[in-house]
Amino acid sequence: MILKDKEKLLSFGNPVRFIFSHSALREGWDNPNVFQICTLKHGGSSPTQKRQEVGRGLRLCVNQDGDRMDADTLGSQVQQINQLTVIASDGYKDFVSDLQQGIRDDLYERPTKATADYFIGKTLVISGNDITISDKQGRDIYRYLVKNDYIDDDDHVTDRYRTDLAEGRLAVLPESCNDFSEGVHALIQSIFDEHALDNMIGNGREAKVQENALNDNFYKKEFQTLWNHINHKYAYTVEFDSEELVRKAIAHIDDKMFVAKLQYTVTAGEQGSDWNADKLKNGRGLLAEKSHTFTLERSEGSLVKYDLVGKIAEGAKMTRKSAAKILSGIKPYTFAMFKNNPEEFIAKAIRLINEQKATLIVEQITYNKAEGSYDATIFTAEKNTDFSRAYRAKKNVQDYVFVDGYARDGKSIERKFAEDMDLADEVCVYAKLPKGFSIPTPVGNYSPDWAIAFHKGTVKHIFFIAETKGTMETLNLKPIEKAKIDCARKLFKELSGEDVVYDSVDSYQHLLDIMESL
């Protein structure tokens, strides 16, 4: 019942009131509602095992609906409900003492001195905004404390500061800190009050995701017409000579496959002076002095089993029979590289097979509409956190465009392309297509870069799907990349007729040249 019918076991209608778990650390029911632990063995358990045992009872319990009984739910009762009782053996005496000391060291040890370094670099949350204290501001705060006798010769906060704080007559902070005086005093108070920084110190690991919602451009008639042309999902069929692919793949793998043995580097150093938490977080606590790289000899063999044929068949989108023929046809020396690094061998074999497949498929592929279509949510599904590299667009369907690609004159091809479209009178609206919008091909899914709607009458074709590349030389494109672009070109030619044109371009002017030549 514990493993197969947990819901019934947890229901109030079930007469079971207590569950005794034997061998709690082995595989079994992962139960958060552990309130008592009774240890039946004396000594012998390692501190790690004891921590694991106690950890089973330190989880927040859940109610009959599976909801965590935390402070938000229980309020002041959270400690009374989530209480663990350990009926301990003698072996727990030293463990409990060490555990309590560790908790004090990890959770309750606060700074005891108000030094300039204590303030510098701290991030405060003031009225919802993050403010980081600079070097100058940190030194200004320290001088302020010295000047007003708020710290003693050992940099400890004095009774005078506590008195002035209680009576509401603290000296005015330096001008450089006026905008966040509340946060500064919260930092000072945190030295003697552990709750002073509640809601004041920002969590640097907490994700702060700015929204990039669809704007009015998305709802323009021109873009809605274009979107309805291209938002269908597609399926393809392709025929090619499997034996020819097997022959070419064998020769290509024998020629190009190389998998080196795994290596690892051992770096030796020593502990730096003046250790503190900030240095450890910034990676400056240990000073490297020398390193040496070793080759990992795997003569003893690996315990991990690989479905080599299955993995390659899946990745190259081919039958197991064809994959087996290719693997059995390559040279023994080539196949022996699999032992050096199985994951790398599999990935490279898939890529090399797909490169040969790419030369065979384009002429034989046909597309048809499949069930389903993409909706507007794919534009906002990608969450970008670094808006500093985003381009603030005018005609894009979202306010910000996140670009990538090759750099040219300090700007990427995509950035310059977006800027030129914003300036062009003939462009009505455009979209930087998300990665979620993709076209299936036999060598992997392909996502074009742009969907563009022009003002009617300004250009020959009013709808254009563009792929922006840093080079238009076919020889410089990888075979798989070229095959994907050729498949997309064939798809839009077959399904869109005169309505939508697709091509690969390296600039907005190149796009106009193509439109003029059609």
Side-chain angles (χ1 to χ4, degrees):
M1 180 181 289
I2 287 179
L3 296 178
K4 295 182 179 180
D5 202 354
K6 292 188 288 187
E7 289 76 13
K8 182 178 179 181
L9 183 63
L10 289 171
S11 68
F12 286 154
N14 192 290
V16 175
R17 290 292 175 265
F18 298 94
I19 299 173
F20 294 87
S21 176
H22 181 268
S23 302
L25 295 180
R26 295 180 185 174
E27 293 181 358
W29 184 28
D30 190 13
N31 178 20
N33 289 5
V34 174
F35 297 99
Q36 290 88 26
I37 296 178
C38 179
T39 59
L40 302 179
K41 52 192 174 186
H42 294 272
S45 297
S46 67
T48 299
Q49 187 171 352
K50 289 189 175 73
R51 282 180 178 266
Q52 290 176 323
E53 291 172 352
V54 172
R56 290 296 173 108
L58 293 180
R59 302 175 184 178
L60 292 174
C61 64
V62 300
N63 63 9
Q64 68 273 18
D65 298 318
D67 299 321
R68 291 284 179 185
M69 295 292 97
D70 55 16
D72 292 337
T73 303
L74 297 175
S76 61
Q77 296 295 310
V78 65
Q79 300 294 345
Q80 284 71 31
I81 299 298
N82 288 283
Q83 192 171 87
L84 173 67
T85 301
V86 179
I87 299 92
S89 61
D90 291 340
Y92 266 74
K93 182 178 179 181
D94 293 337
F95 167 74
V96 170
S97 176
D98 292 341
L99 179 63
Q100 290 174 334
Q101 183 61 45
I103 292 174
R104 281 195 295 270
D105 292 342
D106 293 340
L107 301 181
Y108 296 112
E109 183 178 353
R110 301 189 305 277
T112 59
K113 297 184 178 184
T115 63
D117 288 339
Y118 166 68
F119 296 103
I120 293 171
K122 289 290 192 300
T123 299
L124 303 170
V125 181
I126 306 296
S127 300
N129 299 315
D130 289 355
I131 297 176
T132 301
I133 298 176
S134 67
D135 288 0
K136 179 183 182 305
Q137 290 166 336
R139 290 191 294 271
D140 287 347
I141 296 170
Y142 179 72
R143 285 193 289 267
Y144 159 81
L145 295 173
V146 172
K147 177 181 177 181
N148 293 283
D149 293 328
Y150 286 159
I151 56 175
D152 59 23
D153 293 341
D154 294 323
D155 294 332
H156 295 121
V157 177
T158 61
D159 290 338
R160 179 170 180 174
Y161 179 86
R162 293 180 173 86
T163 301
D164 285 1
L165 173 65
E167 296 178 357
R169 51 185 177 86
L170 286 168
V172 178
L173 280 164
E175 186 177 349
S176 64
C177 306
N178 281 342
D179 292 339
F180 50 93
S181 59
E182 180 185 356
V184 171
H185 286 295
L187 281 172
I188 299 170
Q189 293 166 50
S190 71
I191 295 175
F192 55 86
D193 179 3
E194 64 180 301
H195 298 293
L197 291 178
D198 290 352
N199 302 319
M200 277 286 177
I201 299 296
N203 183 356
R205 296 184 179 181
E206 188 177 272
K208 299 175 178 65
V209 180
Q210 183 177 341
E211 290 296 325
N212 191 23
L214 293 170
N215 57 32
D216 292 340
N217 289 328
F218 178 82
Y219 301 99
K220 287 184 176 180
K221 179 181 67 175
E222 293 84 354
F223 186 78
Q224 286 300 306
T225 303
L226 170 57
W227 183 237
N228 289 331
H229 276 307
I230 67 173
N231 70 350
H232 306 288
K233 295 185 178 180
Y234 303 101
Y236 67 83
T237 56
V238 63
E239 296 180 4
F240 55 86
D241 187 345
S242 297
E243 292 302 321
E244 182 181 2
L245 173 61
V246 169
R247 290 194 302 272
K248 288 189 173 183
I250 291 172
H252 195 47
I253 291 174
D254 279 334
D255 182 42
K256 299 295 185 181
M257 177 67 77
F258 177 77
V259 179
K261 291 183 178 181
L262 289 173
Q263 295 182 319
Y264 61 96
T265 300
V266 177
T267 301
E270 63 179 16
Q271 176 181 321
S273 59
D274 299 326
W275 259 31
N276 55 49
D278 290 335
K279 282 189 175 182
L280 287 175
K281 290 178 181 178
N282 295 331
R284 295 183 287 112
L286 296 173
L287 304 177
E289 293 183 336
K290 62 179 180 178
S291 67
H292 186 81
T293 299
F294 299 87
T295 298
L296 181 62
E297 301 293 343
R298 303 174 66 116
S299 57
E300 75 283 359
S302 173
L303 298 178
V304 179
K305 295 182 179 180
Y306 293 89
D307 179 9
L308 179 58
V309 173
K311 287 291 185 183
I312 291 178
E314 179 184 3
K317 294 182 174 61
M318 64 196 320
T319 64
R320 291 180 66 96
K321 182 179 179 181
S322 295
K325 283 185 177 181
I326 293 172
L327 290 171
S328 61
I330 61 178
K331 297 176 181 178
Y333 171 79
T334 305
F335 188 79
M337 295 182 192
F338 173 71
K339 295 187 299 182
N340 295 343
N341 188 336
E343 291 87 353
E344 184 180 350
F345 182 91
I346 292 170
K348 286 188 174 180
I350 291 171
R351 177 177 59 80
L352 294 171
I353 293 171
N354 279 336
E355 286 179 358
Q356 291 306 300
K357 188 195 295 183
T359 65
L360 302 174
I361 62 171
V362 176
E363 294 302 321
Q364 304 299 327
I365 194 170
T366 57
Y367 280 95
N368 292 284
K369 289 182 181 178
E371 291 186 7
S373 60
Y374 294 105
D375 60 32
T377 58
I378 66 168
F379 286 94
T380 55
E382 296 179 22
K383 300 300 181 183
N384 296 286
T385 57
D386 185 9
F387 275 70
S388 64
R389 68 180 184 86
Y391 167 59
R392 185 78 155 96
K394 299 175 182 177
K395 299 178 181 179
N396 186 50
V397 298
Q398 294 168 278
D399 290 339
Y400 293 91
V401 175
F402 289 84
V403 297
D404 47 38
Y406 299 92
R408 177 186 290 175
D409 300 329
K411 292 182 180 179
S412 71
I413 297 297
E414 289 190 353
R415 173 67 177 257
K416 185 69 168 60
F417 193 79
E419 291 177 351
D420 288 346
M421 286 193 291
D422 274 336
L423 294 174
D425 290 336
E426 58 271 14
V427 174
C428 174
V429 58
Y430 65 88
K432 181 70 168 69
L433 293 171
K435 299 300 182 185
F437 178 85
S438 61
I439 298 167
T441 81
V443 289
N445 289 343
Y446 165 69
S447 298
D449 289 324
W450 307 93
I452 309 158
F454 292 89
H455 289 293
K456 193 171 183 179
T458 59
V459 292
K460 191 173 181 179
H461 298 271
I462 63 172
F463 300 127
F464 199 98
I465 306 299
E467 171 74 21
T468 42
K469 290 293 178 190
T471 174
M472 297 312 301
E473 296 295 331
T474 301
L475 292 176
N476 289 334
L477 294 177
K478 296 178 180 179
I480 294 175
E481 185 177 23
K482 181 179 181 301
K484 290 180 178 181
I485 291 174
D486 289 342
C487 287
R489 183 177 285 112
K490 194 162 188 178
L491 164 66
F492 288 110
K493 183 178 180 180
E494 288 183 1
L495 300 182
S496 300
E498 298 296 321
D499 294 323
V500 179
V501 175
Y502 168 87
D503 218 317
S504 182
V505 299
D506 62 357
S507 67
Y508 178 69
Q509 184 58 52
H510 186 202
L511 183 153
L512 293 179
D513 293 342
I514 290 176
M515 296 282 272
E516 193 65 30
S517 66
L518 294 173

